Coordinates of all heavy atoms in Angstrom, one line a residue:
I108 N -9.2 41.0 -41.4 CA -9.4 42.2 -40.6 C -10.6 42.2 -39.9 O -10.8 42.4 -38.7 CB -9.2 43.5 -41.5 CG1 -7.8 43.6 -42.0 CG2 -9.5 44.6 -40.7 CD1 -7.6 44.7 -43.0
T109 N -11.7 41.6 -40.7 CA -13.1 41.7 -40.1 C -13.2 40.6 -39.0 O -13.8 40.9 -38.0 CB -14.0 41.2 -41.3 OG1 -13.8 42.1 -42.5 CG2 -15.5 41.5 -40.8
A110 N -12.5 39.5 -39.1 CA -12.6 38.4 -38.3 C -11.8 38.8 -37.0 O -12.3 38.6 -35.8 CB -11.9 37.2 -38.7
S111 N -10.7 39.5 -37.0 CA -10.0 40.1 -35.9 C -10.8 41.2 -35.0 O -10.9 41.0 -33.8 CB -8.7 40.8 -36.3 OG -7.9 39.8 -37.1
I112 N -11.5 42.0 -35.9 CA -12.5 42.9 -35.2 C -13.6 42.3 -34.3 O -13.8 42.6 -33.3 CB -12.9 44.0 -36.1 CG1 -11.7 44.9 -36.8 CG2 -14.0 44.9 -35.6 CD1 -12.2 45.8 -37.9
I113 N -14.2 41.2 -35.0 CA -15.4 40.5 -34.5 C -14.9 39.7 -33.3 O -15.6 39.8 -32.2 CB -15.8 39.6 -35.6 CG1 -16.6 40.4 -36.7 CG2 -17.0 38.7 -34.9 CD1 -17.1 39.5 -37.8
T114 N -13.7 39.2 -33.3 CA -13.2 38.5 -32.3 C -12.9 39.4 -31.1 O -13.2 39.1 -29.8 CB -11.9 37.6 -32.6 OG1 -12.2 36.9 -33.7 CG2 -11.4 36.7 -31.4
Q115 N -12.4 40.5 -31.4 CA -12.1 41.4 -30.3 C -13.3 42.0 -29.7 O -13.5 42.2 -28.4 CB -11.3 42.6 -30.9 CG -10.5 43.5 -29.8 CD -9.6 44.4 -30.5 OE1 -9.5 44.7 -31.6 NE2 -8.7 45.0 -29.7
L116 N -14.4 42.3 -30.4 CA -15.7 42.7 -30.0 C -16.5 41.7 -29.2 O -17.2 42.1 -28.2 CB -16.5 43.2 -31.1 CG -16.1 44.6 -31.9 CD1 -17.1 44.8 -33.0 CD2 -15.9 45.7 -30.8
L117 N -16.2 40.4 -29.6 CA -16.9 39.4 -28.8 C -16.4 39.2 -27.4 O -17.0 38.5 -26.6 CB -16.8 37.9 -29.7 CG -17.7 37.9 -30.9 CD1 -17.4 36.6 -31.6 CD2 -19.1 37.9 -30.6
R118 N -15.4 39.7 -27.1 CA -14.8 39.5 -25.7 C -15.8 40.4 -24.7 O -15.8 39.9 -23.6 CB -13.4 40.4 -25.6 CG -12.3 39.4 -26.2 CD -11.1 40.2 -26.3 NE -10.8 41.2 -25.2 CZ -10.0 42.2 -25.1 NH1 -9.3 42.5 -26.2 NH2 -9.9 43.0 -24.2
V119 N -16.4 41.3 -25.3 CA -17.4 42.0 -24.4 C -18.8 41.3 -24.2 O -19.3 41.3 -23.2 CB -17.7 43.4 -24.9 CG1 -18.7 44.3 -24.1 CG2 -16.5 44.2 -25.2
V120 N -19.0 40.4 -25.2 CA -20.2 39.7 -25.2 C -20.2 38.3 -24.6 O -21.0 37.8 -23.9 CB -20.9 39.6 -26.7 CG1 -22.2 38.9 -26.6 CG2 -21.1 40.9 -27.3
I121 N -19.0 37.6 -24.9 CA -18.9 36.2 -24.6 C -17.8 36.2 -23.4 O -16.6 36.4 -23.7 CB -18.4 35.3 -25.7 CG1 -19.4 35.4 -26.9 CG2 -18.2 33.9 -25.4 CD1 -19.1 34.7 -28.1
P122 N -18.2 35.8 -22.3 CA -17.1 35.8 -21.1 C -16.0 34.8 -21.5 O -14.9 35.1 -21.0 CB -18.2 35.2 -20.0 CG -19.4 35.5 -20.3 CD -19.4 35.5 -21.7
H123 N -16.2 33.7 -22.1 CA -15.2 32.8 -22.6 C -14.0 33.4 -23.4 O -12.8 33.1 -23.0 CB -15.7 31.5 -23.2 CG -14.7 30.6 -23.7 ND1 -14.0 29.8 -22.7 CD2 -14.2 30.1 -24.9 CE1 -13.1 29.0 -23.4 NE2 -13.1 29.3 -24.8
F124 N -14.3 34.3 -24.2 CA -13.3 34.9 -24.9 C -12.5 36.0 -24.1 O -11.4 36.0 -24.2 CB -14.0 35.8 -26.0 CG -14.4 35.1 -27.3 CD1 -14.7 33.7 -27.1 CD2 -14.1 35.5 -28.6 CE1 -15.1 32.9 -28.2 CE2 -14.5 34.7 -29.6 CZ -14.9 33.5 -29.5
E125 N -13.2 36.5 -23.1 CA -12.5 37.5 -22.1 C -11.5 36.6 -21.3 O -10.5 37.1 -20.9 CB -13.5 38.2 -21.5 CG -12.9 39.3 -20.4 CD -12.1 40.4 -21.1 OE1 -12.4 40.7 -22.3 OE2 -11.3 40.9 -20.5
T126 N -12.1 35.5 -20.9 CA -11.2 34.6 -20.0 C -9.9 34.1 -20.8 O -8.9 34.1 -20.3 CB -12.0 33.3 -19.6 OG1 -13.2 33.8 -19.0 CG2 -11.1 32.4 -18.7
L127 N -10.1 33.8 -22.1 CA -8.9 33.4 -22.9 C -8.0 34.5 -23.1 O -6.7 34.3 -23.0 CB -9.4 32.9 -24.3 CG -10.1 31.5 -24.4 CD1 -10.7 31.4 -25.8 CD2 -9.2 30.4 -24.0
H128 N -8.5 35.7 -23.2 CA -7.6 36.9 -23.4 C -6.7 37.2 -22.2 O -5.6 37.7 -22.2 CB -8.5 38.1 -23.6 CG -7.8 39.5 -23.8 ND1 -6.9 39.8 -24.8 CD2 -7.6 40.5 -23.0 CE1 -6.3 40.9 -24.7 NE2 -6.8 41.4 -23.5
K129 N -7.2 36.8 -21.0 CA -6.6 37.0 -19.7 C -5.5 35.8 -19.4 O -4.8 36.0 -18.4 CB -7.4 37.2 -18.6 CG -8.3 38.6 -18.7 CD -9.2 38.7 -17.6 CE -10.1 40.0 -17.8 NZ -10.9 40.1 -16.5
E130 N -5.6 34.7 -20.1 CA -4.8 33.6 -19.9 C -3.4 33.7 -20.4 O -2.6 32.8 -20.2 CB -5.5 32.4 -20.3 CG -6.7 31.9 -19.5 CD -7.3 30.7 -20.2 OE1 -6.8 30.1 -21.1 OE2 -8.3 30.0 -19.6
G131 N -3.1 34.8 -21.0 CA -1.7 34.8 -21.5 C -1.5 34.2 -22.9 O -2.4 34.4 -23.8

């Protein structure tokens, strides 16, 4: 649960994570 929340919050900080989120 903690890892999932951290990964979700890192989308705001790390652009690469946001890019991965939009790749399907």
Side-chain angles (χ1 to χ4, degrees):
I108 297 174
T109 309
S111 301
I112 294 173
I113 291 174
T114 305
Q115 198 167 18
L116 294 178
L117 285 178
R118 284 169 39 198
V119 184
V120 182
I121 303 177
H123 177 64
F124 278 38
E125 183 66 25
T126 304
L127 289 175
H128 177 71
K129 295 179 180 179
E130 284 182 359

